Amino acid sequence: MKLADASKLLKERGFKNTPKRYDMLEYIFRQNKYVTARDIQQALKDKYKGLSFDTIYRNLSTFIEVDVVEVTELDGEKRFRSKCSSSEHHHHFICLDCGNTKSIYRCPMDNLSVDLPGYTVQSHKFEIYGLCPECS
């Protein structure tokens, strides 16, 4: 997904494209990694003095609701990234040092029916954590 597509989707869903909301979204889309609310606050602190976590989390909730941002939890903290442009089912490798992500297109759920006969899986989430080649 591209930033312009995300902005358009927000507008179509009835959310205003305020400068602050756009700048938050732009920051998230510029990253190739999951970011924290603190990262967003630090990136925008000079432009928006007194930008509160309340405002950041309220907007992040909106981004998640509209499905333009993905969320994960790492070390007990929520982290956010732009929705992947690929509509193909995939998962992510997340570097524990730099936070960069890499898409993984093989799904471990593909062979799970052997281990769960008779069960109906409705959803799943799978992430791999480690160090990328640059951080190893």
Side-chain angles (χ1 to χ4, degrees):
M1 176 175 285
K2 294 181 177 145
L3 178 59
D5 298 329
S7 290
K8 182 180 174 187
L9 194 54
L10 280 163
K11 190 172 182 178
E12 288 172 359
R13 294 280 193 88
F15 295 98
K16 292 181 182 176
N17 281 324
T18 65
K20 192 180 296 183
R21 182 174 283 155
Y22 182 85
D23 288 344
M24 288 177 60
L25 203 54
E26 182 182 43
Y27 172 76
I28 295 167
F29 271 72
R30 276 196 324 256
Q31 311 306 308
N32 183 35
K33 60 183 178 180
Y34 284 94
V35 297
T36 64
R38 185 174 317 284
D39 295 332
I40 295 167
Q41 186 183 48
Q42 286 298 312
L44 301 178
K45 71 179 179 183
D46 292 336
K47 188 170 185 177
Y48 300 105
K49 307 278 189 235
L51 178 62
S52 72
F53 283 114
D54 242 11
T55 299
I56 294 169
Y57 276 110
R58 194 169 39 256
N59 281 289
L60 287 169
S61 292
T62 298
F63 299 158
I64 293 165
E65 177 186 332
V66 176
D67 203 24
V68 296
V69 166
E70 298 176 358
V71 63
T72 192
E73 191 168 318
L74 182 59
D75 296 329
E77 185 174 18
K78 286 188 178 185
R79 296 171 188 248
F80 310 87
R81 68 166 277 149
S82 59
K83 191 75 171 181
C84 290
S85 55
S86 174
S87 60
E88 188 177 342
H89 179 79
H90 67 282
H91 300 283
H92 293 114
F93 172 91
I94 303 169
C95 180
L96 292 170
D97 191 28
C98 69
N100 285 343
T101 62
K102 177 159 177 54
S103 296
I104 302 166
Y105 290 94
R106 288 191 191 155
C107 181
M109 297 296 290
D110 292 342
N111 300 318
L112 197 62
S113 61
V114 173
D115 295 325
L116 292 173
Y119 288 78
T120 302
V121 176
Q122 295 181 341
S123 178
H124 71 279
K125 185 173 185 176
F126 180 74
E127 295 169 337
I128 298 174
Y129 303 96
L131 298 176
C132 69
E134 291 80 23
C135 295
S136 290

Short mmCIF file of all heavy atoms in Angstrom, two decimals, residues 23-67:
data_model
loop_
_atom_site.label_atom_id
_atom_site.label_comp_id
_atom_site.label_asym_id
_atom_site.label_seq_id
_atom_site.Cartn_x
_atom_site.Cartn_y
_atom_site.Cartn_z
N ASP A 23 1.12 13.61 8.56
CA ASP A 23 2.54 13.53 8.90
C ASP A 23 2.86 12.26 9.69
O ASP A 23 3.92 11.66 9.49
CB ASP A 23 2.96 14.77 9.69
CG ASP A 23 3.03 16.02 8.82
OD1 ASP A 23 3.05 15.89 7.57
OD2 ASP A 23 3.05 17.12 9.39
N MET A 24 1.95 11.85 10.56
CA MET A 24 2.16 10.59 11.29
C MET A 24 2.19 9.42 10.32
O MET A 24 3.06 8.55 10.38
CB MET A 24 1.05 10.39 12.33
CG MET A 24 1.14 11.30 13.52
SD MET A 24 -0.24 11.09 14.67
CE MET A 24 -0.05 9.38 15.10
N LEU A 25 1.22 9.41 9.43
CA LEU A 25 1.12 8.34 8.45
C LEU A 25 2.34 8.34 7.52
O LEU A 25 2.91 7.29 7.21
CB LEU A 25 -0.18 8.50 7.66
CG LEU A 25 -0.76 7.30 6.97
CD1 LEU A 25 -0.95 6.14 7.94
CD2 LEU A 25 -2.08 7.65 6.32
N GLU A 26 2.76 9.53 7.10
CA GLU A 26 3.92 9.64 6.23
C GLU A 26 5.18 9.09 6.92
O GLU A 26 5.97 8.37 6.31
CB GLU A 26 4.13 11.10 5.84
CG GLU A 26 5.31 11.29 4.89
CD GLU A 26 5.53 12.76 4.56
OE1 GLU A 26 5.46 13.61 5.46
OE2 GLU A 26 5.79 13.01 3.38
N TYR A 27 5.35 9.41 8.20
CA TYR A 27 6.50 8.89 8.94
C TYR A 27 6.47 7.36 8.96
O TYR A 27 7.49 6.71 8.68
CB TYR A 27 6.53 9.44 10.37
CG TYR A 27 7.59 8.77 11.21
CD1 TYR A 27 8.93 9.11 11.05
CD2 TYR A 27 7.26 7.76 12.11
CE1 TYR A 27 9.92 8.46 11.78
CE2 TYR A 27 8.24 7.12 12.85
CZ TYR A 27 9.57 7.47 12.67
OH TYR A 27 10.53 6.82 13.39
N ILE A 28 5.33 6.79 9.27
CA ILE A 28 5.20 5.33 9.33
C ILE A 28 5.51 4.72 7.97
O ILE A 28 6.23 3.72 7.88
CB ILE A 28 3.79 4.92 9.82
CG1 ILE A 28 3.59 5.38 11.27
CG2 ILE A 28 3.59 3.42 9.69
CD1 ILE A 28 2.14 5.30 11.75
N PHE A 29 4.99 5.32 6.90
CA PHE A 29 5.19 4.76 5.56
C PHE A 29 6.62 4.90 5.06
O PHE A 29 7.05 4.15 4.19
CB PHE A 29 4.20 5.39 4.57
CG PHE A 29 2.91 4.66 4.49
CD1 PHE A 29 1.99 4.72 5.53
CD2 PHE A 29 2.58 3.90 3.38
CE1 PHE A 29 0.80 4.03 5.48
CE2 PHE A 29 1.39 3.21 3.31
CZ PHE A 29 0.49 3.27 4.35
N ARG A 30 7.37 5.86 5.58
CA ARG A 30 8.78 6.02 5.18
C ARG A 30 9.68 4.94 5.78
O ARG A 30 10.78 4.69 5.29
CB ARG A 30 9.31 7.39 5.62
CG ARG A 30 9.01 8.51 4.67
CD ARG A 30 9.87 9.74 4.95
NE ARG A 30 10.15 9.98 6.34
CZ ARG A 30 9.57 10.92 7.09
NH1 ARG A 30 8.65 11.70 6.58
NH2 ARG A 30 9.90 11.07 8.35
N GLN A 31 9.24 4.30 6.84
CA GLN A 31 10.05 3.31 7.53
C GLN A 31 9.86 1.94 6.88
O GLN A 31 8.80 1.64 6.36
CB GLN A 31 9.66 3.22 9.01
CG GLN A 31 9.57 4.54 9.73
CD GLN A 31 10.83 5.38 9.60
OE1 GLN A 31 11.92 4.90 9.87
NE2 GLN A 31 10.66 6.62 9.20
N ASN A 32 10.86 1.11 6.97
CA ASN A 32 10.74 -0.28 6.53
C ASN A 32 10.79 -1.17 7.77
O ASN A 32 11.46 -2.19 7.79
CB ASN A 32 11.87 -0.66 5.56
CG ASN A 32 11.71 -2.09 5.05
OD1 ASN A 32 10.60 -2.55 4.85
ND2 ASN A 32 12.81 -2.78 4.87
N LYS A 33 10.12 -0.71 8.79
CA LYS A 33 10.16 -1.44 10.05
C LYS A 33 8.96 -1.04 10.91
O LYS A 33 8.24 -0.10 10.60
CB LYS A 33 11.45 -1.13 10.80
CG LYS A 33 11.63 0.33 11.15
CD LYS A 33 12.98 0.55 11.81
CE LYS A 33 13.22 2.00 12.14
NZ LYS A 33 14.52 2.19 12.79
N TYR A 34 8.79 -1.78 11.97
CA TYR A 34 7.77 -1.43 12.96
C TYR A 34 8.31 -0.29 13.82
O TYR A 34 9.49 -0.30 14.19
CB TYR A 34 7.45 -2.63 13.85
CG TYR A 34 6.58 -3.66 13.18
CD1 TYR A 34 7.14 -4.74 12.52
CD2 TYR A 34 5.20 -3.56 13.23
CE1 TYR A 34 6.34 -5.69 11.91
CE2 TYR A 34 4.39 -4.50 12.62
CZ TYR A 34 4.96 -5.56 11.96
OH TYR A 34 4.16 -6.50 11.36
N VAL A 35 7.48 0.67 14.12
CA VAL A 35 7.89 1.81 14.95
C VAL A 35 6.96 1.90 16.16
O VAL A 35 5.84 1.42 16.15
CB VAL A 35 7.85 3.15 14.16
CG1 VAL A 35 8.85 3.11 13.02
CG2 VAL A 35 6.46 3.47 13.65
N THR A 36 7.46 2.55 17.19
CA THR A 36 6.67 2.74 18.41
C THR A 36 6.02 4.12 18.39
O THR A 36 6.40 4.99 17.59
CB THR A 36 7.57 2.64 19.66
OG1 THR A 36 8.51 3.72 19.62
CG2 THR A 36 8.30 1.30 19.73
N ALA A 37 5.10 4.32 19.29
CA ALA A 37 4.48 5.64 19.45
C ALA A 37 5.55 6.66 19.83
O ALA A 37 5.52 7.81 19.38
CB ALA A 37 3.39 5.59 20.50
N ARG A 38 6.53 6.23 20.61
CA ARG A 38 7.63 7.12 21.00
C ARG A 38 8.46 7.53 19.79
O ARG A 38 8.89 8.69 19.67
CB ARG A 38 8.52 6.45 22.04
CG ARG A 38 9.61 7.35 22.61
CD ARG A 38 10.40 6.73 23.73
NE ARG A 38 9.64 6.02 24.74
CZ ARG A 38 8.91 6.59 25.70
NH1 ARG A 38 8.83 7.88 25.79
NH2 ARG A 38 8.25 5.84 26.58
N ASP A 39 8.68 6.60 18.85
CA ASP A 39 9.40 6.93 17.62
C ASP A 39 8.66 8.04 16.86
O ASP A 39 9.28 8.98 16.35
CB ASP A 39 9.53 5.71 16.71
CG ASP A 39 10.40 4.60 17.29
OD1 ASP A 39 11.32 4.89 18.09
OD2 ASP A 39 10.14 3.43 16.93
N ILE A 40 7.36 7.88 16.77
CA ILE A 40 6.53 8.86 16.05
C ILE A 40 6.61 10.21 16.76
O ILE A 40 6.78 11.25 16.12
CB ILE A 40 5.07 8.37 15.95
CG1 ILE A 40 5.00 7.10 15.09
CG2 ILE A 40 4.16 9.47 15.40
CD1 ILE A 40 3.69 6.36 15.17
N GLN A 41 6.50 10.18 18.07
CA GLN A 41 6.56 11.43 18.84
C GLN A 41 7.91 12.13 18.63
O GLN A 41 7.96 13.34 18.41
CB GLN A 41 6.33 11.16 20.32
CG GLN A 41 6.24 12.43 21.15
CD GLN A 41 6.08 12.13 22.62
OE1 GLN A 41 6.82 11.32 23.18
NE2 GLN A 41 5.12 12.79 23.26
N GLN A 42 9.00 11.37 18.67
CA GLN A 42 10.33 11.95 18.48
C GLN A 42 10.49 12.54 17.07
O GLN A 42 11.07 13.61 16.91
CB GLN A 42 11.41 10.89 18.71
CG GLN A 42 11.63 10.54 20.16
CD GLN A 42 12.11 11.74 20.97
OE1 GLN A 42 13.02 12.45 20.58
NE2 GLN A 42 11.46 11.99 22.09
N ALA A 43 9.96 11.84 16.08
CA ALA A 43 10.09 12.29 14.70
C ALA A 43 9.32 13.59 14.44
O ALA A 43 9.73 14.41 13.61
CB ALA A 43 9.61 11.21 13.75
N LEU A 44 8.22 13.79 15.15
CA LEU A 44 7.35 14.93 14.88
C LEU A 44 7.39 16.01 15.96
O LEU A 44 6.66 16.99 15.89
CB LEU A 44 5.90 14.45 14.69
CG LEU A 44 5.68 13.46 13.55
CD1 LEU A 44 4.23 13.01 13.50
CD2 LEU A 44 6.12 14.04 12.22
N LYS A 45 8.26 15.85 16.96
CA LYS A 45 8.26 16.76 18.11
C LYS A 45 8.58 18.20 17.75
O LYS A 45 8.06 19.13 18.36
CB LYS A 45 9.18 16.25 19.21
CG LYS A 45 10.65 16.37 18.87
CD LYS A 45 11.53 15.88 20.00
CE LYS A 45 12.98 16.01 19.59
NZ LYS A 45 13.87 15.50 20.58
N ASP A 46 9.44 18.41 16.76
CA ASP A 46 9.79 19.78 16.39
C ASP A 46 8.65 20.48 15.65
O ASP A 46 8.43 21.68 15.81
CB ASP A 46 11.05 19.81 15.53
CG ASP A 46 12.29 19.39 16.32
OD1 ASP A 46 12.28 19.52 17.56
OD2 ASP A 46 13.25 18.92 15.69
N LYS A 47 7.94 19.72 14.86
CA LYS A 47 6.84 20.29 14.08
C LYS A 47 5.58 20.48 14.92
O LYS A 47 4.83 21.43 14.73
CB LYS A 47 6.53 19.41 12.87
CG LYS A 47 5.54 20.03 11.92
CD LYS A 47 5.46 19.23 10.64
CE LYS A 47 4.54 19.93 9.65
NZ LYS A 47 4.48 19.22 8.37
N TYR A 48 5.33 19.54 15.84
CA TYR A 48 4.12 19.58 16.69
C TYR A 48 4.55 19.57 18.15
O TYR A 48 4.66 18.51 18.76
CB TYR A 48 3.21 18.39 16.38
CG TYR A 48 2.73 18.35 14.95
CD1 TYR A 48 3.28 17.45 14.05
CD2 TYR A 48 1.76 19.24 14.50
CE1 TYR A 48 2.85 17.41 12.73
CE2 TYR A 48 1.33 19.21 13.18
CZ TYR A 48 1.88 18.30 12.30
OH TYR A 48 1.46 18.26 10.99
N LYS A 49 4.78 20.72 18.68
CA LYS A 49 5.17 20.86 20.09
C LYS A 49 4.05 20.29 20.97
O LYS A 49 2.88 20.57 20.75
CB LYS A 49 5.40 22.32 20.46
CG LYS A 49 6.38 23.03 19.54
CD LYS A 49 7.80 22.76 19.93
CE LYS A 49 8.73 23.65 19.13
NZ LYS A 49 9.74 22.94 18.42
N GLY A 50 4.41 19.49 21.93
CA GLY A 50 3.42 18.95 22.86
C GLY A 50 2.56 17.84 22.28
O GLY A 50 1.48 17.57 22.80
N LEU A 51 3.00 17.19 21.20
CA LEU A 51 2.25 16.08 20.63
C LEU A 51 2.14 14.97 21.67
O LEU A 51 3.14 14.41 22.11
CB LEU A 51 2.96 15.56 19.37
CG LEU A 51 2.34 14.36 18.66
CD1 LEU A 51 0.93 14.68 18.16
CD2 LEU A 51 3.22 13.91 17.50
N SER A 52 0.92 14.65 22.08
CA SER A 52 0.72 13.71 23.17
C SER A 52 0.59 12.27 22.68
O SER A 52 0.22 12.02 21.53
CB SER A 52 -0.54 14.08 23.95
OG SER A 52 -1.70 13.79 23.18
N PHE A 53 0.89 11.35 23.58
CA PHE A 53 0.70 9.93 23.26
C PHE A 53 -0.78 9.63 23.02
O PHE A 53 -1.11 8.76 22.23
CB PHE A 53 1.25 9.04 24.39
CG PHE A 53 2.74 8.93 24.35
CD1 PHE A 53 3.52 9.46 25.36
CD2 PHE A 53 3.39 8.29 23.31
CE1 PHE A 53 4.89 9.36 25.33
CE2 PHE A 53 4.77 8.18 23.26
CZ PHE A 53 5.52 8.72 24.27
N ASP A 54 -1.65 10.35 23.71
CA ASP A 54 -3.09 10.20 23.48
C ASP A 54 -3.43 10.43 22.02
O ASP A 54 -4.14 9.64 21.40
CB ASP A 54 -3.84 11.23 24.34
CG ASP A 54 -4.76 10.58 25.35
OD1 ASP A 54 -4.66 9.36 25.53
OD2 ASP A 54 -5.57 11.31 25.92
N THR A 55 -2.94 11.53 21.47
CA THR A 55 -3.18 11.87 20.07
C THR A 55 -2.58 10.83 19.15
O THR A 55 -3.21 10.39 18.19
CB THR A 55 -2.60 13.27 19.75
OG1 THR A 55 -3.24 14.23 20.57
CG2 THR A 55 -2.78 13.62 18.28
N ILE A 56 -1.37 10.41 19.45
CA ILE A 56 -0.69 9.41 18.62
C ILE A 56 -1.47 8.10 18.63
O ILE A 56 -1.78 7.53 17.58
CB ILE A 56 0.76 9.21 19.08
CG1 ILE A 56 1.57 10.48 18.83
CG2 ILE A 56 1.39 8.00 18.37
CD1 ILE A 56 2.93 10.49 19.48
N TYR A 57 -1.81 7.60 19.82
CA TYR A 57 -2.52 6.32 19.90
C TYR A 57 -3.93 6.39 19.32
O TYR A 57 -4.40 5.43 18.71
CB TYR A 57 -2.57 5.81 21.35
CG TYR A 57 -1.31 5.08 21.74
CD1 TYR A 57 -0.40 5.62 22.64
CD2 TYR A 57 -1.00 3.84 21.18
CE1 TYR A 57 0.76 4.95 22.98
CE2 TYR A 57 0.16 3.16 21.52
CZ TYR A 57 1.03 3.72 22.42
OH TYR A 57 2.18 3.05 22.75
N ARG A 58 -4.59 7.52 19.45
CA ARG A 58 -5.92 7.68 18.86
C ARG A 58 -5.81 7.57 17.33
O ARG A 58 -6.61 6.88 16.70
CB ARG A 58 -6.51 9.03 19.28
CG ARG A 58 -7.97 9.18 19.03
CD ARG A 58 -8.61 10.40 19.67
NE ARG A 58 -7.81 11.62 19.65
CZ ARG A 58 -7.14 12.11 20.71
NH1 ARG A 58 -7.19 11.50 21.87
NH2 ARG A 58 -6.45 13.23 20.61
N ASN A 59 -4.82 8.22 16.76
CA ASN A 59 -4.62 8.13 15.31
C ASN A 59 -4.17 6.74 14.89
O ASN A 59 -4.62 6.23 13.86
CB ASN A 59 -3.63 9.20 14.84
CG ASN A 59 -4.29 10.55 14.73
OD1 ASN A 59 -5.10 10.78 13.84
ND2 ASN A 59 -3.95 11.45 15.63
N LEU A 60 -3.30 6.12 15.65
CA LEU A 60 -2.87 4.76 15.33
C LEU A 60 -4.06 3.80 15.34
O LEU A 60 -4.17 2.93 14.47
CB LEU A 60 -1.79 4.29 16.30
CG LEU A 60 -0.42 4.94 16.11
CD1 LEU A 60 0.49 4.62 17.29
CD2 LEU A 60 0.22 4.51 14.80
N SER A 61 -4.96 3.97 16.29
CA SER A 61 -6.18 3.14 16.34
C SER A 61 -7.01 3.34 15.08
O SER A 61 -7.56 2.37 14.53
CB SER A 61 -7.01 3.47 17.57
OG SER A 61 -6.33 3.08 18.74
N THR A 62 -7.10 4.58 14.64
CA THR A 62 -7.83 4.87 13.40
C THR A 62 -7.16 4.19 12.22
O THR A 62 -7.82 3.57 11.38
CB THR A 62 -7.91 6.39 13.17
OG1 THR A 62 -8.61 7.00 14.25
CG2 THR A 62 -8.59 6.72 11.85
N PHE A 63 -5.83 4.29 12.14
CA PHE A 63 -5.09 3.67 11.04
C PHE A 63 -5.29 2.15 11.02
O PHE A 63 -5.42 1.56 9.95
CB PHE A 63 -3.60 3.98 11.15
CG PHE A 63 -3.24 5.45 11.08
CD1 PHE A 63 -2.04 5.89 11.60
CD2 PHE A 63 -4.09 6.39 10.51
CE1 PHE A 63 -1.68 7.23 11.53
CE2 PHE A 63 -3.75 7.73 10.45
CZ PHE A 63 -2.54 8.15 10.97
N ILE A 64 -5.33 1.55 12.19
CA ILE A 64 -5.55 0.10 12.28
C ILE A 64 -6.98 -0.23 11.86
O ILE A 64 -7.21 -1.18 11.10
CB ILE A 64 -5.26 -0.41 13.71
CG1 ILE A 64 -3.77 -0.28 14.01
CG2 ILE A 64 -5.73 -1.85 13.88
CD1 ILE A 64 -3.43 -0.42 15.48
N GLU A 65 -7.93 0.55 12.34
CA GLU A 65 -9.35 0.33 12.01
C GLU A 65 -9.58 0.40 10.50
O GLU A 65 -10.31 -0.41 9.93
CB GLU A 65 -10.20 1.39 12.71
CG GLU A 65 -11.68 1.33 12.39
CD GLU A 65 -12.44 2.48 13.01
OE1 GLU A 65 -12.01 3.01 14.06
OE2 GLU A 65 -13.47 2.87 12.44
N VAL A 66 -8.94 1.34 9.84
CA VAL A 66 -9.09 1.51 8.40
C VAL A 66 -8.22 0.53 7.63
O VAL A 66 -8.35 0.36 6.43
CB VAL A 66 -8.78 2.99 8.01
CG1 VAL A 66 -8.84 3.21 6.52
CG2 VAL A 66 -9.75 3.93 8.71
N ASP A 67 -7.33 -0.15 8.32
CA ASP A 67 -6.47 -1.20 7.76
C ASP A 67 -5.38 -0.65 6.85
O ASP A 67 -5.09 -1.21 5.80
CB ASP A 67 -7.31 -2.25 7.03
CG ASP A 67 -6.60 -3.59 6.93
OD1 ASP A 67 -5.73 -3.87 7.78
OD2 ASP A 67 -6.92 -4.36 6.00
#
